[in-house]
Amino acid sequence: MIQDKSWGSRLFDGVNIALLALVGLVTVLPFVHVLAGSFTTTAELARKQLVLIPTEFSFDAYRYIFSTSTVIRSIGVSVFITVAGTLFSMLLTVLMAFGLSKKTLRGRQTIMFLVVFTMLFNGGLIPSFIVVKSLGLIDSYGALIIPSAMSAFNLIIMRNFFQNLPEGLEESAKIDGAGYWSILFRIVIPLSMPAIATISLFYAVNYWNTYFQAVMYINDAAKWPVQVILRQIVILAGALTADTTGWAAEDVLPPAQSIKMAVIVVATVPILIVYPFLQKHFAKGALLGSIKG
Amino acid sequence: MTMLRTMRRDLFLYLLVLPGLLFFLIFKYVPMWGVLISFQNYSPYLGLWHSEWVGFAHFDRLFSNPDFFLLLRNTLAINALNLIFFFPLPIMLSLTMNEIRTRWFKGAVQSVIYLPHFLSWVVIAGISLIMLSESEGIVNGLIAAAGGERIDFLTNPRYFWGVLTVQSIWKEVGWGTVIFLAAIAGVDVQLYEAAKLDGAGKLRQIWHVTLPAIRNVIIILLILRIGHMMDVGFEQVYLMMNGTVSEVAEVFDTYVYRAGILQGQFSFSTAVGLFKSVVGLVLVVIANRLSKKFGEEGLY
């Protein structure tokens, strides 16, 4: 690039950098606004609307939402379905992908077609609802895990990854008398840790974000995951239920806007924590080969 | 004899595939078969075997219902806006990103713009509501500070489709670049060198080298997009919907949910869903044919 420092090329670079900086800023500012707003006092929020760095710190909004059991319980539910769901999803996905990665398996193409076809056509909402209902899953955490346990997309990525592993390793293990089981656990899985980590995180994010499944299948408010509670508070502007324990009557309630912002932050933080690990892997182009089933 | 032996050798592999296969059969294929109830007056007590068959009665009812055109209009309008304003953006953004030589800057921008993809629609809708609120929202605060009139973004039907489009762009545009950046990374560097020797500037290199190289990816994504012309993200619309905008907000997916789950009209709403799925499948097939006709690779 040393020889290429003409005026035009510099202008080109400058415009690109300015453009991307703007895009990045537009993406990040809403988060900063919400984060700052959640720590702000009533007075400051009322005085100026554009709060990016609060001058008067206040943890009232957080104290308030954690004084009720509603939010805490819903976080517990979400953590449970995220952990249990991801384990269940990965078990099914890894086993099936490994089986389908063996080119000698008869009927492999048919099964792959069955999987890919589900990406193009589906029976729709009501027939799926009837299936879940007739399995007796309504109002159980299973309804939030089992019907969404596998994604055709993730399965295909996993299978492609297994297929691209060098065959020689497996062959030599076979000569040493290893069966498929030990090949899977001693060779294939250890070699596939980047793909396994990425897909686990994809599943985990999905479970954490579960909203509509819960609206459809869970009527018992005590079993609602955090996204449903988030909607109650932020969008329907519903007050937290009266099971408030640590909030004395004489205390002034924090501003409604701050409470909403604090709940959004709480529901987003787990994603922010796993995000760096997630990002490390997915950009590596492992996904490219998979858009064509 | 040989077949029996291969079957036995593969038995273990079949056992590994089985749980996943059962998942797809139970949760994807049984519902496909379940669409039969759209030709019945399905009653949960009688079940699929004993409910009364009514032919195309529910479809007649759908097509003669004035709501049908409303649903079709809203669904297509939201998707058309998406196709026009959203679809080209990730391509343009990845072309821009590809020209950045400062690696830390590129990495930082990528980290930031991929993030919203991983947030739930509830979070996105919540942030939108907070920012766009007429009295308290920061956007209206800025408009008022600049001397303008406050705008009722959330309750005025005129802005609803626009708000959805902007939301979709904000959430997914960065993630949309992943696939294009991977495709661009695969372009042979020698092609650029050759173009440079021929005197091509940056813009002409993009036009003659980069774009043709990723054309196939663009077309595949376009076919998939067209196949989803009848789908509107249920969660997004459902969360942003309110009484004053329902005329422009009701789409097939929200209608199926209301008629089916909330009002218990299982057969009718399944008919609505089936109509939608079949049109989607037909659109994919047509788009694929067209792309092959013009000498492109296509999806299958």
Side-chain angles (χ1 to χ4, degrees), chain B residues 97-200:
Chain B
M97 248 154 41
N98 188 49
E99 297 301 327
I100 301 292
R101 301 277 161 255
T102 323
R103 287 190 78 176
W104 68 264
F105 179 73
K106 190 173 167 183
V109 170
Q110 281 176 311
S111 300
V112 168
I113 64 176
Y114 292 161
L115 180 61
H117 169 77
F118 297 98
L119 301 180
S120 71
W121 272 113
V122 188
V123 166
I124 307 282
I127 296 178
S128 310
L129 259 48
I130 285 175
M131 292 187 56
L132 295 177
S133 145
E134 197 179 344
S135 53
E136 301 172 297
I138 183 172
V139 175
N140 270 312
L142 293 176
I143 291 175
E149 286 277 315
R150 286 178 180 270
I151 299 171
D152 47 353
F153 290 111
L154 299 169
T155 48
N156 190 332
R158 231 194 304 165
Y159 298 112
F160 188 74
W161 294 343
V163 169
L164 291 192
T165 309
V166 171
Q167 267 185 333
S168 301
I169 290 174
W170 188 75
K171 188 174 192 299
E172 299 295 340
V173 80
W175 183 247
T177 63
V178 170
I179 217 120
F180 293 113
L181 282 174
I184 292 173
V187 179
D188 190 350
V189 191
Q190 291 184 348
L191 290 175
Y192 291 107
E193 297 299 330
K196 242 186 254 170
L197 285 180
D198 289 343

Side-chain angles (χ1 to χ4, degrees), chain A:
Chain A
M1 293 303 116
I2 304 155
Q3 77 277 28
D4 192 15
K5 276 291 169 208
S6 66
W7 248 102
S9 141
R10 267 189 210 177
L11 183 71
F12 182 77
D13 287 345
V15 170
N16 282 339
I17 287 181
L19 210 66
L20 284 181
L22 186 71
V23 171
L25 216 58
V26 168
T27 312
V28 90
L29 277 183
F31 291 118
V32 177
H33 175 60
V34 167
L35 186 67
S38 71
F39 287 107
T40 314
T41 58
T42 323
E44 186 170 4
L45 206 60
R47 206 170 51 244
K48 50 182 184 183
Q49 270 165 329
L50 179 59
V51 183
L52 290 181
I53 302 160
T55 43
E56 306 160 22
F57 259 99
S58 156
F59 293 95
D60 281 359
Y62 291 92
R63 244 172 14 98
Y64 177 69
I65 60 175
F66 287 115
S67 72
T68 70
S69 61
T70 313
V71 173
I72 297 173
R73 192 175 46 214
S74 74
I75 290 172
V77 170
S78 285
V79 168
F80 172 73
I81 62 163
T82 302
V83 173
T86 305
L87 288 174
F88 184 61
S89 292
M90 284 314 285
L91 183 72
L92 293 188
T93 305
V94 167
L95 294 185
M96 190 175 186
F98 179 69
L100 291 175
S101 71
K102 295 283 157 277
K103 294 194 174 89
T104 52
L105 189 74
R106 293 169 70 97
R108 166 177 178 270
Q109 295 299 340
T110 315
I111 297 173
M112 278 316 286
F113 176 79
L114 284 176
V115 170
V116 172
F117 187 70
T118 63
M119 295 166 94
L120 297 177
F121 186 80
N122 62 72
L125 190 71
I126 306 300
S128 307
F129 177 80
I130 293 174
V131 169
V132 172
K133 196 173 166 156
S134 49
L135 290 173
L137 290 174
I138 298 291
D139 265 337
S140 77
Y141 295 128
L144 302 180
I145 294 174
I146 302 168
S148 42
M150 285 182 87
S151 121
F153 189 74
N154 288 348
L155 177 72
I156 294 166
I157 296 174
M158 201 74 242
R159 188 205 61 151
N160 288 355
F161 196 92
F162 287 162
Q163 262 176 10
N164 292 335
L165 290 175
E167 274 177 46
L169 287 169
E170 271 188 47
E171 289 307 316
S172 54
K174 250 189 223 165
I175 293 165
D176 292 343
Y180 278 130
W181 197 248
S182 60
I183 288 176
L184 175 61
F185 280 95
R186 299 238 187 90
I187 298 172
V188 173
I189 291 181
L191 283 177
S192 309
M193 276 331 272
I196 288 176
T198 312
I199 292 178
S200 303
L201 289 168
F202 275 134
Y203 277 128
V205 167
N206 232 356
Y207 281 116
W208 180 262
N209 286 342
T210 293
Y211 164 69
F212 182 48
Q213 309 271 354
V215 171
M216 284 230 296
Y217 300 136
I218 308 290
N219 303 312
D220 179 358
K223 291 179 180 165
W224 278 343
V226 70
Q227 304 291 339
V228 179
I229 298 298
L230 177 63
R231 172 176 183 254
Q232 298 292 105
I233 296 172
V234 178
I235 298 173
L236 303 180
L240 289 168
T241 40
D243 53 5
T244 308
T245 45
W247 203 262
E250 66 271 18
D251 282 348
V252 185
L253 285 186
Q257 270 313 67
S258 288
I259 295 173
K260 291 178 184 180
M261 289 169 168
V263 186
I264 289 178
V265 171
V266 168
T268 309
V269 159
I271 303 272
L272 292 178
I273 293 172
V274 298
Y275 182 65
F277 303 97
L278 191 59
Q279 206 223 341
K280 210 171 82 188
H281 299 297
F282 65 55
K284 286 186 180 158
L287 306 179
L288 181 65
S290 53
I291 57 163
K292 282 194 75 173

Side-chain angles (χ1 to χ4, degrees), chain B residues 198-249:
Chain B
D198 289 343
K202 277 281 167 65
L203 290 177
R204 298 197 61 180
Q205 287 174 35
I206 290 175
W207 185 253
H208 291 290
V209 180
T210 317
L211 271 180
I214 63 172
R215 192 171 63 183
N216 198 31
V217 178
I218 297 177
I219 287 169
I220 288 172
L221 290 182
L222 194 61
I223 296 175
L224 288 173
R225 187 76 264 286
I226 289 170
H228 285 290
M229 277 306 269
M230 297 292 279
D231 298 328
V232 175
F234 171 89
E235 293 192 356
Q236 182 187 15
V237 176
Y238 181 71
L239 290 165
M240 294 305 291
M241 206 169 173
N242 55 60
T244 55
V245 295
S246 58
E247 179 131 333
V248 291

